[in-house]
Amino acid sequence: MPAPQYTVSDVMSHTAVAIGREASYKEIVELMHEWKVSALPVLEGEGRVVGVVSEADLLAKEEFRRDDPKLPEQLDEASKAGALLAGELMSSPAVTVHPDATLAEAARIMARKRVKRLPVVNSVGMLEGVVSRSDLLKVFLRPDEEIEEEIRQLVLGELPLPAHIEFSVLDGVVTLHGPLTDRALVPLLARAIRAVEGVVSVQMALEGSVGTSA
């Protein structure tokens, strides 16, 4: 049985502050400051996400306060300098993620779209929460004992260690040590252990094989 993967629903904030299209510029700034967030989902109807207002959207007002845009690619950004309401400021369509997405999938979306937070929506686009970069890092707070038990029960249940091979977990780093002559097992063990949520690295201190890390 492969190690279970955490999903966005396991780490997201289920209580999310959001705004409507008519929220004013100052109201948005005040909410971001009060809730210590860098972006707010914009909702319409009964809670469908139609856009997101981020700090970058708001900063256009300061950036182009005195200077006009000098490059063609600055025109869209500069148009937000005169915006007063969330509906004018927001980036739309919103970049979102579903609650059953894996943490790796959410991380890829954030990296590709260069955003720090993602609204979490259901199949019809209704807001269910928000997931941030810091939320995705929560898996690395798992206790070493919990990681060790998962490796022992799930990973090694499918891919047993050869006799005399032992492993330990310290600060999320898994170290295997002991005699191992079959080097073909090294990448298999490393890949299986690395798939466990919370594992920072896999170190191979094995006699008879080349020491590696992953």
Side-chain angles (χ1 to χ4, degrees):
M1 179 187 300
Q5 286 188 308
Y6 278 49
T7 64
V8 166
S9 63
D10 293 318
V11 300
M12 74 183 194
S13 300
H14 292 269
T15 301
V17 59
I19 53 177
R21 288 180 180 269
E22 301 304 311
S24 70
Y25 185 100
K26 188 168 184 177
E27 181 184 355
I28 297 168
V29 174
E30 288 173 342
L31 281 172
M32 285 185 177
H33 178 73
E34 178 183 353
W35 288 84
K36 295 179 173 57
V37 295
S38 59
L40 294 171
V42 181
L43 311 182
E44 71 176 10
E46 298 181 356
R48 186 169 62 87
V49 178
V50 293
V52 171
V53 175
S54 69
E55 291 171 333
D57 296 320
L58 298 174
L59 283 173
K61 190 173 291 294
E62 184 63 31
E63 181 181 356
F64 297 103
R65 183 181 297 278
R66 295 182 177 88
D67 300 324
D68 292 328
K70 297 179 175 60
L71 301 173
E73 56 266 29
Q74 292 179 319
L75 291 175
D76 287 342
E77 187 178 353
S79 68
K80 295 184 179 182
L84 299 176
L85 304 178
E88 303 165 327
L89 288 160
M90 70 183 186
S91 298
S92 181
V95 180
T96 62
V97 68
H98 292 297
D100 58 354
T102 66
L103 303 192
E105 290 169 341
R108 281 194 291 270
I109 294 172
M110 287 184 183
R112 188 172 63 250
K113 297 297 184 179
R114 298 181 181 179
V115 296
K116 299 177 182 179
R117 297 165 60 84
L118 291 171
V120 183
V121 300
N122 63 16
S123 59
V124 293
M126 305 292 283
L127 183 67
E128 293 196 352
V130 172
V131 66
S132 67
R133 290 175 176 175
S134 61
D135 291 328
L136 299 185
L137 295 174
K138 287 177 182 177
V139 292
F140 294 105
L141 298 176
R142 297 183 72 189
D144 290 338
E145 296 78 12
E146 186 176 311
I147 295 172
E148 181 176 340
E149 182 62 21
E150 184 169 318
I151 293 172
R152 196 176 302 281
Q153 295 294 326
L154 298 178
V155 176
L156 301 185
E158 291 291 313
L159 190 65
L161 286 176
H164 309 301
I165 297 295
E166 298 179 351
F167 77 97
S168 59
V169 184
L170 180 62
D171 294 335
V173 177
V174 181
T175 302
L176 285 84
H177 43 86
L180 180 65
T181 56
D182 187 357
R183 297 188 180 187
L185 285 175
V186 172
L188 297 177
L189 285 168
R191 189 179 304 113
I193 293 172
R194 195 170 57 240
V196 173
E197 299 285 7
V199 170
V200 175
S201 177
V202 181
Q203 303 290 327
M204 298 293 185
L206 300 170
E207 303 168 23
S209 69
V210 179
T212 61
S213 65

